[in-house]
Amino acid sequence: MTISNELAELARGHWAAAALVFLLAGVVKGVIGLGLPTVSMALLALWMPPVRAAALLIGPSLVTNLWQTGPRASFWPVLRRIGGMQAGIVAGTLGGVLWFGVPAGTWASVALGVALVAYALWGLAGRQLQVPAAHERWLGPVVGAATGLVTAVTGVFVVPAVPYLQALGFQRDALIQAMGISFTTSTVVLAIGLAGNGSYPMAAVGGSLAMLVPAIGGMAIGTWLRKRLPVAVFRRCFLAGLALLGLYMVARALA
C-alpha cells in the first residue's frame, strides 16, 4: 500500500485520534519545552507505520520548533555555538535515510522504543552532564551525526541531542532556544529525506498541516499549565510514561 493510500485510509478512520495525539503532544511541549515529536511518534506508531507517523509530524514539529527559536537577539550567538552540531544532524539524517531508508517495519519500532527508554532513563536519573568548552568543537558534530541517525531510523530527534545541549551549561531560555534550533534542523532534514525517498507526497502535506491546529492549541494549553503546575513533578511523570511506552513497543515488536 502506498503512503498516499495509507493517508486516505487514515482520513477515513483515524483523524480524530491523531488530532488528540497532537493535542497531547502540544501540551507536553508547552509545559516542558520538548516532547512533541517524541510523544506523537510514540503514540501514532501504536496503530500506524512509523513512516506514516513521521509524515504527519513534519508540519506541527516545524512550526512549533520555529516558534521556539526566538528571541531573535540571542539566536545567532546560540546558533554559532551549536553550528557544528547542526552540520552533524544534516549529515547523519541524510546518511541514515540513504542507508536505512525511512522509518518502517519491526526494526524501526524496536529502535524507537529503545530510544524512548534511553531518553526517559537518562532524564529520571537526574544526572547533569558537563561538556568542557575545549571539546565542543569536535563533540558537537559527533552528537549531531548520532542524533541524525536516530532521527532517520525512528523519526525522534531528542537523543542524544537534548542531553548534550543540557550539558553545555546554557541558561534556561538559551537552552530552550538551542533545542528549538536543533529540532528545526532535524525536522527540515527529515522532511527532505522523506521526500527524497518518495515517502512525503503532497497528500501527506495536507494531513500534516491539519495537525497544526491541535498541536498549537496544545502548546497554548501547556504554556498556561506551566505557570500553574510543578514542572518537576510533571516532567517525572512524563519520562516514566515514555519509559513504559517504549518498553511496550519493544516487547510488542519482538513478540
Side-chain angles (χ1 to χ4, degrees), residues 22-117:
F22 279 102
L23 178 67
L24 173 61
V27 170
V28 172
K29 186 174 179 67
V31 172
I32 64 175
L34 71 160
L36 187 144
T38 310
V39 172
S40 56
M41 278 294 296
L43 294 179
L44 291 173
L46 292 177
W47 81 81
M48 68 173 67
V51 63
R52 192 197 307 173
L56 284 179
L57 172 66
I58 297 300
S61 180
L62 179 60
V63 172
T64 56
N65 288 328
L66 283 172
W67 186 350
Q68 194 174 323
T69 60
R72 187 182 306 175
S74 57
F75 176 84
W76 290 111
V78 171
L79 179 60
R80 280 194 295 269
R81 187 172 179 187
I82 62 173
M85 177 187 175
Q86 306 313 297
I89 288 174
V90 173
T93 304
L94 293 180
V97 169
L98 290 174
W99 184 263
F100 297 110
V102 293
T106 298
W107 63 273
S109 296
V110 171
L112 175 56
V114 170
L116 291 175
V117 172

Side-chain angles (χ1 to χ4, degrees), residues 5 13-14 19 33 54 65 128 175 186 197 230 238 247:
N5 290 338
H14 297 296
N65 288 328
Q128 181 60 54
L175 174 61
S186 293
N197 275 348
F238 161 63
L247 289 172

